[in-house]
Amino acid sequence: MDQRKPLIAGNWKMNLSIPEGITLARTLREELQGINTPNVLVAPPFTFLSSLWEIIKGSGILLGAQNMHWEDFGAFTGEISGKMLMEVGCTHVILGHSERRHVFRETDDMIDKKVKKAFELGLTPILCIGETLEEREAGKTFHILEKQLSCSLATIIEKASLPNDLILAYEPVWAIGTGRTATPQQAQEAHKFVREWIEENFGEKSAQDIRILYGGSVKPDNIASLMAMPDIDGALVGGASLKAESFLGIIRYEV
Ligand code: PGA
Protein backbone atom coordinates (compact mmCIF):
# COMPACT_ATOMS: atom_id res chain seq x y z
CA MET A 1 0.00 0.00 0.00
CA ASP A 2 1.51 3.29 -1.09
CA GLN A 3 0.63 6.19 1.18
CA ARG A 4 3.60 8.36 0.39
CA LYS A 5 2.47 11.79 -0.80
CA PRO A 6 4.44 12.75 -3.92
CA LEU A 7 6.68 15.82 -3.72
CA ILE A 8 7.76 17.91 -6.69
CA ALA A 9 10.60 20.23 -5.70
CA GLY A 10 12.10 22.98 -7.85
CA ASN A 11 15.80 23.70 -7.37
CA TRP A 12 16.32 27.09 -8.98
CA LYS A 13 20.10 26.93 -8.38
CA MET A 14 21.81 30.30 -9.13
CA ASN A 15 19.19 31.49 -11.62
CA LEU A 16 16.56 34.22 -12.14
CA SER A 17 16.29 37.73 -10.65
CA ILE A 18 14.16 38.54 -7.60
CA PRO A 19 11.34 40.05 -9.77
CA GLU A 20 11.40 36.97 -12.02
CA GLY A 21 11.29 34.68 -8.98
CA ILE A 22 8.36 36.65 -7.54
CA THR A 23 6.43 36.40 -10.82
CA LEU A 24 7.08 32.65 -11.00
CA ALA A 25 6.00 32.11 -7.37
CA ARG A 26 2.83 34.18 -7.91
CA THR A 27 1.91 32.13 -10.97
CA LEU A 28 2.46 28.87 -9.08
CA ARG A 29 0.34 30.10 -6.19
CA GLU A 30 -2.51 31.14 -8.48
CA GLU A 31 -2.43 28.05 -10.67
CA LEU A 32 -2.23 25.60 -7.78
CA GLN A 33 -4.88 27.24 -5.57
CA GLY A 34 -7.47 24.77 -4.35
CA ILE A 35 -6.17 22.01 -6.58
CA ASN A 36 -5.19 18.66 -5.18
CA THR A 37 -1.62 18.31 -6.41
CA PRO A 38 1.48 16.64 -5.06
CA ASN A 39 3.35 18.61 -2.40
CA VAL A 40 5.20 21.40 -4.18
CA LEU A 41 8.41 23.06 -2.97
CA VAL A 42 10.61 25.79 -4.39
CA ALA A 43 14.27 26.29 -3.45
CA PRO A 44 15.36 29.70 -4.81
CA PRO A 45 18.65 31.53 -4.20
CA PHE A 46 19.12 32.82 -0.62
CA THR A 47 18.45 36.47 -1.49
CA PHE A 48 14.94 35.61 -2.78
CA LEU A 49 13.80 33.74 0.30
CA SER A 50 12.12 36.42 2.39
CA SER A 51 10.26 38.03 -0.56
CA LEU A 52 9.11 34.64 -1.79
CA TRP A 53 7.93 33.61 1.63
CA GLU A 54 5.59 36.63 1.67
CA ILE A 55 4.04 35.36 -1.56
CA ILE A 56 3.68 31.67 -0.86
CA LYS A 57 2.90 31.56 2.85
CA GLY A 58 -0.51 30.06 3.46
CA SER A 59 -0.63 28.65 -0.09
CA GLY A 60 0.69 25.20 0.79
CA ILE A 61 3.77 25.69 -1.42
CA LEU A 62 6.83 24.86 0.65
CA LEU A 63 10.02 26.92 0.83
CA GLY A 64 13.45 25.33 0.83
CA ALA A 65 17.05 26.49 0.69
CA GLN A 66 19.77 24.96 -1.46
CA ASN A 67 22.41 24.58 1.25
CA MET A 68 23.31 25.54 4.83
CA HIS A 69 26.20 25.45 7.30
CA TRP A 70 26.21 23.07 10.28
CA GLU A 71 26.86 25.77 12.90
CA ASP A 72 24.25 28.28 14.09
CA PHE A 73 26.51 31.36 14.10
CA GLY A 74 30.16 32.25 13.85
CA ALA A 75 33.13 33.23 11.75
CA PHE A 76 32.16 31.39 8.57
CA THR A 77 32.43 34.04 5.86
CA GLY A 78 30.02 33.46 3.01
CA GLU A 79 27.99 30.81 4.80
CA ILE A 80 24.41 30.73 6.08
CA SER A 81 22.96 28.77 8.99
CA GLY A 82 19.81 26.72 9.26
CA LYS A 83 18.53 29.08 11.97
CA MET A 84 18.83 31.99 9.52
CA LEU A 85 16.95 30.03 6.86
CA MET A 86 14.11 29.29 9.27
CA GLU A 87 13.80 33.01 10.06
CA VAL A 88 12.83 33.60 6.41
CA GLY A 89 10.28 30.80 6.16
CA CYS A 90 12.31 27.78 5.09
CA THR A 91 11.04 24.42 6.27
CA HIS A 92 13.32 22.35 4.00
CA VAL A 93 16.94 22.40 2.90
CA ILE A 94 18.66 20.57 0.05
CA LEU A 95 21.87 18.99 1.34
CA GLY A 96 24.69 17.21 -0.49
CA HIS A 97 23.59 18.22 -3.98
CA SER A 98 26.09 16.89 -6.52
CA GLU A 99 27.12 20.43 -7.45
CA ARG A 100 28.01 20.99 -3.78
CA ARG A 101 29.87 17.67 -3.65
CA HIS A 102 31.74 17.99 -6.94
CA VAL A 103 32.18 21.73 -7.60
CA PHE A 104 32.58 22.86 -3.97
CA ARG A 105 34.25 19.69 -2.65
CA GLU A 106 31.72 19.04 0.11
CA THR A 107 32.53 15.79 1.85
CA ASP A 108 30.20 13.17 3.31
CA ASP A 109 31.47 14.21 6.74
CA MET A 110 30.35 17.83 6.16
CA ILE A 111 27.01 16.62 4.85
CA ASP A 112 26.55 14.38 7.89
CA LYS A 113 27.05 17.41 10.17
CA LYS A 114 24.56 19.43 8.12
CA VAL A 115 21.93 16.65 8.23
CA LYS A 116 22.37 16.37 12.00
CA LYS A 117 22.01 20.13 12.48
CA ALA A 118 18.97 20.34 10.22
CA PHE A 119 17.19 17.72 12.34
CA GLU A 120 18.19 19.46 15.58
CA LEU A 121 16.60 22.65 14.25
CA GLY A 122 13.49 21.00 12.83
CA LEU A 123 14.40 21.70 9.20
CA THR A 124 13.65 18.85 6.80
CA PRO A 125 16.70 17.81 4.80
CA ILE A 126 16.42 16.71 1.18
CA LEU A 127 19.59 14.64 1.06
CA CYS A 128 20.97 14.10 -2.45
CA ILE A 129 22.98 11.10 -3.52
CA GLY A 130 24.04 9.79 -6.91
CA GLU A 131 26.86 8.31 -8.94
CA THR A 132 28.96 9.83 -11.74
CA LEU A 133 28.99 8.36 -15.25
CA GLU A 134 32.43 6.91 -14.63
CA GLU A 135 31.21 5.18 -11.47
CA ARG A 136 28.13 3.82 -13.27
CA GLU A 137 30.18 2.50 -16.16
CA ALA A 138 32.56 0.82 -13.72
CA GLY A 139 29.55 -0.98 -12.16
CA LYS A 140 29.92 0.92 -8.88
CA THR A 141 26.50 2.61 -8.67
CA PHE A 142 25.20 0.67 -5.64
CA HIS A 143 28.56 0.85 -3.90
CA ILE A 144 28.59 4.66 -4.26
CA LEU A 145 24.97 5.01 -3.10
CA GLU A 146 25.67 2.85 -0.07
CA LYS A 147 28.80 4.85 0.79
CA GLN A 148 27.04 8.20 0.43
CA LEU A 149 24.09 7.01 2.52
CA SER A 150 26.14 5.46 5.29
CA CYS A 151 28.56 8.41 5.52
CA SER A 152 26.04 11.24 5.10
CA LEU A 153 23.73 9.65 7.67
CA ALA A 154 26.48 8.43 10.02
CA THR A 155 25.18 10.35 13.04
CA ILE A 156 21.59 9.31 12.37
CA ILE A 157 22.67 5.66 12.05
CA GLU A 158 24.34 5.87 15.48
CA LYS A 159 21.00 6.95 16.93
CA ALA A 160 19.39 4.00 15.12
CA SER A 161 16.20 5.88 14.42
CA LEU A 162 15.43 7.73 11.24
CA PRO A 163 13.61 11.03 11.76
CA ASN A 164 10.43 10.45 9.84
CA ASP A 165 10.61 13.51 7.68
CA LEU A 166 13.96 12.84 5.98
CA ILE A 167 13.62 13.07 2.18
CA LEU A 168 16.15 11.46 -0.15
CA ALA A 169 16.86 12.45 -3.74
CA TYR A 170 18.57 10.07 -6.13
CA GLU A 171 20.28 12.26 -8.70
CA PRO A 172 22.66 10.47 -11.05
CA VAL A 173 25.32 13.10 -11.78
CA TRP A 174 25.35 12.19 -15.47
CA ALA A 175 21.67 13.10 -15.77
CA ILE A 176 21.81 16.52 -14.11
CA GLY A 177 21.44 19.39 -16.57
CA THR A 178 22.46 17.13 -19.46
CA GLY A 179 19.09 16.34 -20.98
CA ARG A 180 19.97 12.70 -20.44
CA THR A 181 17.39 11.31 -17.99
CA ALA A 182 17.85 7.94 -16.35
CA THR A 183 15.32 5.54 -17.80
CA PRO A 184 12.45 4.80 -15.42
CA GLN A 185 13.93 1.31 -15.00
CA GLN A 186 17.41 2.63 -14.15
CA ALA A 187 15.91 5.08 -11.66
CA GLN A 188 13.62 2.43 -10.14
CA GLU A 189 16.54 0.04 -9.69
CA ALA A 190 18.49 2.69 -7.76
CA HIS A 191 15.46 3.77 -5.70
CA LYS A 192 14.69 0.17 -4.77
CA PHE A 193 18.28 -0.28 -3.65
CA VAL A 194 18.05 2.88 -1.52
CA ARG A 195 14.75 1.81 0.05
CA GLU A 196 16.18 -1.61 0.88
CA TRP A 197 19.21 0.07 2.47
CA ILE A 198 16.85 2.17 4.62
CA GLU A 199 15.00 -1.00 5.62
CA GLU A 200 18.22 -2.77 6.63
CA ASN A 201 19.36 0.18 8.72
CA PHE A 202 16.14 1.63 10.11
CA GLY A 203 13.45 -0.99 9.67
CA GLU A 204 10.48 -1.63 7.44
CA LYS A 205 8.30 1.26 8.58
CA SER A 206 10.97 3.88 7.84
CA ALA A 207 11.58 2.25 4.45
CA GLN A 208 7.90 2.36 3.57
CA ASP A 209 7.43 5.94 4.78
CA ILE A 210 10.50 7.65 3.33
CA ARG A 211 10.07 9.67 0.16
CA ILE A 212 12.76 9.14 -2.46
CA LEU A 213 12.76 11.75 -5.22
CA TYR A 214 14.38 11.33 -8.62
CA GLY A 215 16.40 14.22 -10.07
CA GLY A 216 18.20 14.69 -13.38
CA SER A 217 16.65 16.24 -16.50
CA VAL A 218 13.05 15.75 -15.34
CA LYS A 219 10.66 17.34 -17.85
CA PRO A 220 6.88 17.40 -18.42
CA ASP A 221 7.25 14.63 -21.00
CA ASN A 222 9.19 12.17 -18.84
CA ILE A 223 7.71 12.74 -15.37
CA ALA A 224 4.74 10.39 -15.74
CA SER A 225 6.84 7.37 -16.69
CA LEU A 226 9.17 8.04 -13.76
CA MET A 227 6.28 8.49 -11.32
CA ALA A 228 4.76 5.21 -12.50
CA MET A 229 7.65 3.38 -10.81
CA PRO A 230 6.80 2.00 -7.36
CA ASP A 231 9.79 3.46 -5.52
CA ILE A 232 9.82 6.94 -7.10
CA ASP A 233 7.95 9.38 -4.87
CA GLY A 234 8.56 12.67 -6.62
CA ALA A 235 11.13 14.75 -8.41
CA LEU A 236 13.85 17.30 -7.73
CA VAL A 237 13.71 19.50 -10.81
CA GLY A 238 16.39 21.96 -11.90
CA GLY A 239 16.13 23.59 -15.35
CA ALA A 240 12.45 22.77 -15.91
CA SER A 241 11.45 24.43 -12.60
CA LEU A 242 12.51 27.88 -13.87
CA LYS A 243 9.48 28.39 -16.11
CA ALA A 244 5.90 28.21 -14.85
CA GLU A 245 4.71 26.25 -17.86
CA SER A 246 7.23 23.43 -17.58
CA PHE A 247 7.16 23.26 -13.77
CA LEU A 248 3.35 23.16 -13.74
CA GLY A 249 3.48 20.52 -16.49
CA ILE A 250 5.57 18.37 -14.16
CA ILE A 251 3.40 19.05 -11.08
CA ARG A 252 0.27 18.07 -13.03
CA TYR A 253 1.69 14.79 -14.34
CA GLU A 254 -0.74 11.96 -14.68
CA VAL A 255 0.42 8.41 -14.40
P1 PGA B 1 18.12 19.33 -13.84
O1 PGA B 1 18.72 19.49 -12.35
O2 PGA B 1 16.65 19.05 -13.70
O3 PGA B 1 18.42 20.65 -14.51
O4 PGA B 1 18.84 18.19 -14.48
C1 PGA B 1 18.30 18.67 -11.29
C2 PGA B 1 19.04 19.03 -10.03
O5 PGA B 1 20.23 19.33 -10.09
O6 PGA B 1 18.45 19.04 -8.91
Side-chain angles (χ1 to χ4, degrees):
M1 189 171 48
D2 189 356
Q3 294 176 327
R4 298 184 293 268
K5 171 110 172 149
L7 169 66
I8 305 292
N11 173 10
W12 294 1
K13 307 192 181 183
M14 197 173 74
N15 290 303
L16 305 178
S17 63
I18 295 179
E20 285 167 343
I22 288 176
T23 305
L24 178 51
R26 278 211 181 101
T27 310
L28 295 175
R29 187 191 64 191
E30 281 156 24
E31 293 285 329
L32 298 176
Q33 210 169 25
I35 296 175
N36 186 19
T37 62
N39 287 149
V40 175
L41 176 145
V42 289
F46 294 135
T47 53
F48 300 23
L49 288 167
S50 50
S51 335
L52 248 63
W53 177 236
E54 291 307 317
I55 291 165
I56 62 176
K57 69 180 168 197
S59 70
I61 299 172
L62 304 164
L63 190 62
Q66 299 172 19
N67 183 28
M68 61 171 243
H69 195 270
W70 58 83
E71 295 290 345
D72 291 332
F73 305 102
F76 300 104
T77 302
E79 290 291 328
I80 193 146
S81 73
K83 260 184 194 286
M84 292 168 183
L85 297 175
M86 292 172 83
E87 278 180 347
V88 288
C90 287
T91 50
H92 291 66
V93 60
I94 298 171
L95 295 177
H97 189 278
S98 77
E99 286 146 22
R100 302 293 325 164
R101 291 175 187 266
H102 296 284
V103 185
F104 299 99
R105 299 274 171 256
E106 268 188 30
T107 61
D108 282 320
D109 178 50
M110 290 157 87
I111 298 163
D112 175 45
K113 288 195 231 168
K114 293 180 181 199
V115 171
K116 175 172 176 263
K117 173 54 79 173
F119 280 127
E120 270 170 31
L121 292 171
L123 260 176
T124 298
I126 302 177
L127 172 63
C128 303
I129 53 172
E131 81 289 358
T132 62
L133 186 57
E134 208 185 351
E135 289 160 346
R136 172 162 282 266
E137 286 175 347
K140 291 188 185 155
T141 299
F142 292 161
H143 171 74
I144 295 296
L145 295 180
E146 175 156 34
K147 181 176 162 292
Q148 290 176 339
L149 284 166
S150 54
C151 298
S152 309
L153 293 173
T155 310
I156 307 287
I157 292 172
E158 269 168 39
K159 293 190 176 153
S161 103
L162 189 70
N164 59 13
D165 57 351
L166 176 70
I167 297 168
L168 293 174
Y170 169 62
E171 298 207 307
V173 179
W174 47 273
I176 296 177
T178 58
R180 185 177 164 187
T181 329
T183 64
Q185 292 72 22
Q186 282 173 321
Q188 167 57 24
E189 187 186 48
H191 282 228
K192 184 165 176 282
F193 175 84
V194 171
R195 202 177 298 286
E196 283 169 0
W197 184 89
I198 294 286
E199 181 166 352
E200 272 161 38
N201 287 276
F202 300 104
E204 197 189 337
K205 171 131 182 43
S206 295
Q208 282 314 310
D209 289 349
I210 195 164
R211 288 188 288 184
I212 309 173
L213 314 182
Y214 168 78
S217 298
V218 174
K219 304 270 173 328
D221 62 5
N222 59 27
I223 182 72
S225 56
L226 289 160
M227 292 303 290
M229 295 291 129
D231 289 302
I232 300 184
D233 306 312
L236 183 52
V237 186
S241 70
L242 297 173
K243 290 214 162 78
E245 194 188 347
S246 48
F247 197 42
L248 286 165
I250 292 172
I251 293 166
R252 293 173 174 147
Y253 73 92
E254 272 179 46
V255 174

